[in-house]
Each structure stands twice: as structure tokens, then as C-alpha cells.
């Protein structure tokens, strides 16, 4: 099974993680023979991973590929994938699921995919079951449904019209502007984010971000595209203060942005990383405590004045409000 969250041993190499997945590791390993075996196995897959690196130095997309490789290496008869493309680009997702589909069509394996992405269901599944509140509310062949019908079943909004004959059930490829009818951002709009000559080092000691410059204007959405492992994670971490900047300047609304707590409060900068459980949330803390991480020592979550007392009932009360407002699926704020 491939889980939504990674189950890799971060301090072991890719080769060691693959062998560990087998569950029966001899006391003495013939690494020359095993390496040849692993290289031959990788040659049968569309993925390229360095056998000698550790998962801690891999990008999220590369980790996801390693998770899948661990299972394929075992030659499963039944493969269960839980949100297998949650951290992959569409191109990487097609690469992964295309290989999984070919594996299934060869008759070697049966596959169950849990996903919320209609595009992947329509493109790679043969049949689909929709769950809502723990109950199966729809089951049909993919060819007999459409993304609109699946969405209606998921949301409990009744049946959407069936797909028109002769038209693909897959959603059309629309740009964000075409989808929302937005006009192009004016060149006169204020520059809200400006990055000049940013340089950041990767986990492997080499430069991951090389002299990068960009700017984003008010009302604009700037996409940074690339296959996983090409500096996207390091760029975000350098921008938000989770990775040192070796060179370059970052400014928000014309003011220097050093990613300090006071900068985030003053300039209202927020970020959502690709692995929230790794560097955004604390798994051992409650929902209420995680929601309070940004302002736990500020009124009304704490009494006014230096060294103010923390008001835990207020934390829990606010957490309940946010849970209700945003429809958070949880057993409670505690």
C-alpha cells in the first residue's frame, strides 16, 4: 500500500529503503549483487532516482515516486494507493499513473486508487465509487459518468446532467484566466512581491536556486513550474525563512522581507508548504494548539503584557469557530 503521507526511513538511502520494504533482509547483504538487481528493476520503471541519496534530501515528488517503487519492487497482486499524486505535478502524476495502469493492464496486479482528483479518475480508472460521510453513494463505470456527476454525488447535490454524446468526460483544459474570465494584470499594478538574485543551497550541498529574480503584481497569480526536485521546495523555504538565503533580496510591498515573525504580521505574508505535516503543523499538538501557533502569546489568546498567561479556553473556543466556519473534518479541537 502507498499511503498519503510518507513512510520512508529518512536516514537510509534509496537502495536501503527499497530493500527494507521487502521485510526479509539478510544479516549480510551482497551489495554488489543487490545494487545490480535494483538498477535492473529501476530500468523497468519510468522513474530515475539515485540509489545512494537519502529521502531527507529528496523533494516531495521524488519521495512519492520512491514510495511507489517500494511497492512495485515487491511485485504486488493488489496495490492500494491513497492519494498517490497529492504532491506531484500533473506531468508527474501522468507518469506515475500511466505506469500503474500499464502494470494493471498486464494482468500482474489489481489496483485500488483513493483520490479526489476527477481528472485522474476519468483518465486512469475503469470504474469509480463515490464516498460521502463514509457511505458509498454512487458506483458506475467511468465511461458512464462525468466530473460534474461525480462532484454532485460527492457534495450531495443530486444528479448532474449526463455527459453529452461524443464528448470526452474529462474536463477541458482551461487556463485560470479563461476559467474565471479575468482580465490580464495591468503593468501599472503595484509590485507586491519582488525577488532579486536569490541564491539558496539544497540539502545535498549544491545550489538549488541560482540567481533567481521574479516579481508578482497586485491581483496576479504567478506559477512556478517544473518537475519535482528542481528547486521549487528550496525556493519556497528560502522565501519564507525556512532555508538560509545565500544571496539576493526579497521585498514585499516595497519593504525588505526577512521572513521574521514581525514581518509576517506587518506585511500579512502566509504560506502553505507541499508537506504541511513536515514543516507547517505539529503532529503531537492538538488542532486548537496548531491553530494557535501563530499568535498564541498575543491577546486574546494570552493576557496582555509581557509574560501574559495563556488562555487555553480561548484557544479551544476559537478553534471550534474555525472548524465550523471552514468545515474542518476533525473529531474536535482537542
Amino acid at each position: 500500500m502507498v499511503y498519503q503521507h510518507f513512510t520512508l526511513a529518512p536516514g537510509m538511502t534509496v537502495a536501503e529503503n527499497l530493500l527494507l520494504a521487502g521485510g526479509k533482509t539478510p544479516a549480510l547483504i551482497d551489495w554488489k549483487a543487490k545494487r545490480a538487481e535494483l538498477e535492473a528493476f529501476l530500468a523497468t520503471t519510468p522513474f530515475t532516482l539515485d540509489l545512494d541519496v537519502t529521502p531527507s534530501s529528496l523533494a516531495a515528488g521524488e519521495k512519492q515516486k520512491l514510495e511507489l517503487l517500494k511497492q512495485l519492487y515487491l511485485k504486488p497482486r493488489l496495490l492500494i494507493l491513497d492519494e498517490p499524486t497529492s504532491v506531484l505535478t500533473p506531468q508527474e502524476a501522468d507518469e506515475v499513473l500511466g505506469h500503474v495502469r500499464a502494470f494493471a493492464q498486464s494482468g500482474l496486479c489489481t489496483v485500488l486508487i483513493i483520490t479526489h482528483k476527477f481528472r485522474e479518475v476519468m483518465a486512469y480508472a475503469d470504474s469509480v465509487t463515490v464516498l460521502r460521510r463514509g457511505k458509498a453513494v454512487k458506483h458506475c463505470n467511468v465511461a458512464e459518468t462525468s466530473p460534474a456527476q461525480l462532484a454532485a454525488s460527492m457534495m450531495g447535490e443530486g444528479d448532474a446532467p449526463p455527459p453529452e454524446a461524443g464528448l470526452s468526460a474529462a474536463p477541458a483544459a482551461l487556463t485560470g484566466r479563461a476559467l474565471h474570465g479575468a482580465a490580464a494584470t495591468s503593468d501599472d499594478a503595484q509590485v507586491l512581491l519582488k525577488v532579486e538574485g536569490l541564491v539558496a543551497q539544497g540539502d545535498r550541498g549544491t545550489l538549488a536556486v541560482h540567481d533567481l529574480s521574479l516579481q508578482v503584481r497586485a491581483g496576479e497569480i504567478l506559477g512556478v513550474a517544473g518537475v519535482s526536485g528542481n528547486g521549487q521546495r528550496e525556493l519556497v523555504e528560502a522565501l519564507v525563512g525556512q532555508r538560509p538565503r545565500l544571496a539576493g533580496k526579497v521585498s514585499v510591498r516595497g519593504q525588505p522581507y526577512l521572513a521574521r515573525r514581525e514581518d509576517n504580521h506587518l506585511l500579512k505574508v502566509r504560506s502553505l508548504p507541499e508537506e504541511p505535516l513536515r514543516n507547517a503543523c505539529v503532529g503531537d499538538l492538538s488542532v486548537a494548539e496548531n491553530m494557535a501557533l501563530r499568535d498564541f502569546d498575543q491577546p486574546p489568546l494570552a493576557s496582555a503584557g509581557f509574560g501574559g498567561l495563556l488562555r487555553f479556553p480561548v484557544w479551544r473556543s476559537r478553534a471550534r469557530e474555525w472548524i465550523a466556519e471552514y468545515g474542518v473534518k476533525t473529531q474536535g479541537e482537542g
Side-chain angles (χ1 to χ4, degrees):
M1 177 170 178
V2 176
Y3 295 92
Q4 182 174 0
H5 302 296
F6 302 128
T7 60
L8 304 170
M12 304 180 76
T13 66
V14 168
E16 290 166 339
N17 269 276
L18 288 172
L19 292 185
L20 188 64
K24 295 181 180 179
T25 305
L28 294 176
I29 300 175
D30 183 349
W31 277 109
K32 183 177 180 180
K34 281 296 181 183
R35 188 177 185 86
E37 176 185 316
L38 291 174
E39 289 174 346
F41 162 68
L42 288 177
T44 66
T45 75
F47 313 133
T48 302
L49 288 178
D50 186 343
L51 291 173
D52 296 318
V53 303
T54 60
S56 60
S57 65
L58 296 176
E62 295 172 305
K63 292 178 184 177
Q64 192 70 44
K65 292 176 183 178
L66 178 54
E67 289 282 13
L68 181 58
L69 286 172
K70 283 169 48 182
Q71 304 308 317
L72 296 181
Y73 181 62
L74 299 177
K75 300 179 180 179
R77 298 297 298 171
L78 172 62
L79 180 60
I80 301 174
L81 306 175
D82 181 12
E83 298 286 355
T85 64
S86 59
V87 296
L88 302 182
T89 66
Q91 293 80 7
E92 290 173 323
D94 287 338
E95 184 181 34
V96 169
L97 295 179
H99 186 72
V100 169
R101 183 168 180 80
F103 193 56
Q105 289 179 332
S106 69
L108 297 175
C109 184
T110 298
V111 180
L112 172 66
I113 299 179
I114 294 96
T115 181
H116 65 278
K117 298 181 179 180
F118 297 145
R119 171 184 172 276
E120 296 173 2
V121 171
M122 303 305 298
Y124 296 103
D126 298 303
S127 61
V128 57
T129 295
V130 177
L131 294 183
R132 187 173 72 247
R133 299 185 183 277
K135 295 182 179 180
V137 296
K138 181 183 180 70
H139 179 79
C140 64
N141 292 326
V142 167
E144 300 169 350
T145 189
S146 69
Q149 289 180 306
L150 294 177
S153 297
M154 290 175 65
M155 303 304 294
E157 297 175 351
D159 291 331
E164 296 182 31
L167 295 180
S168 170
L174 295 176
T175 65
R177 297 197 183 282
L179 185 62
H180 298 290
T185 303
S186 170
D187 290 339
D188 297 329
Q190 179 187 8
V191 175
L192 293 188
L193 171 65
K194 187 173 185 179
V195 179
E196 302 174 88
L198 182 64
V199 178
Q201 192 175 59
D203 295 334
R204 305 176 194 178
T206 58
L207 290 184
V209 181
H210 306 252
D211 192 27
L212 183 140
S213 298
L214 57 82
Q215 63 182 26
V216 187
R217 297 182 180 275
E220 181 181 19
I221 297 177
L222 173 65
V224 178
V227 175
S228 182
N230 280 271
Q232 300 96 315
R233 175 171 62 90
E234 291 84 356
L235 168 61
V236 172
E237 291 177 353
L239 287 177
V240 301
Q242 294 180 335
R243 182 176 297 271
R245 303 170 189 166
L246 301 185
K249 296 186 295 183
V250 178
S251 59
V252 176
R253 297 181 182 273
Q255 300 185 46
Y257 176 67
L258 302 178
R260 299 171 301 188
R261 190 185 187 198
E262 53 266 33
D263 295 333
N264 292 332
H265 279 291
L266 177 65
L267 300 172
K268 299 187 183 301
V269 176
R270 303 290 184 264
S271 66
L272 181 62
E274 64 178 354
E275 295 182 66
L277 287 179
R278 173 176 171 264
N279 57 359
C281 300
V282 182
D284 291 334
L285 296 183
S286 69
V287 173
E289 290 166 341
N290 270 281
M291 288 181 172
L293 286 176
R294 182 179 292 124
D295 54 354
F296 69 94
D297 57 346
Q298 304 294 317
L301 301 190
S303 57
F306 180 77
L309 296 177
L310 302 181
R311 296 172 170 172
F312 295 109
V314 179
W315 294 22
R316 292 189 287 271
S317 175
R318 187 180 72 171
R320 286 192 293 270
E321 292 176 3
W322 285 4
I323 289 170
E325 181 177 357
Y326 294 103
V328 179
K329 301 296 183 182
T330 178
Q331 295 180 345
E333 75 283 357

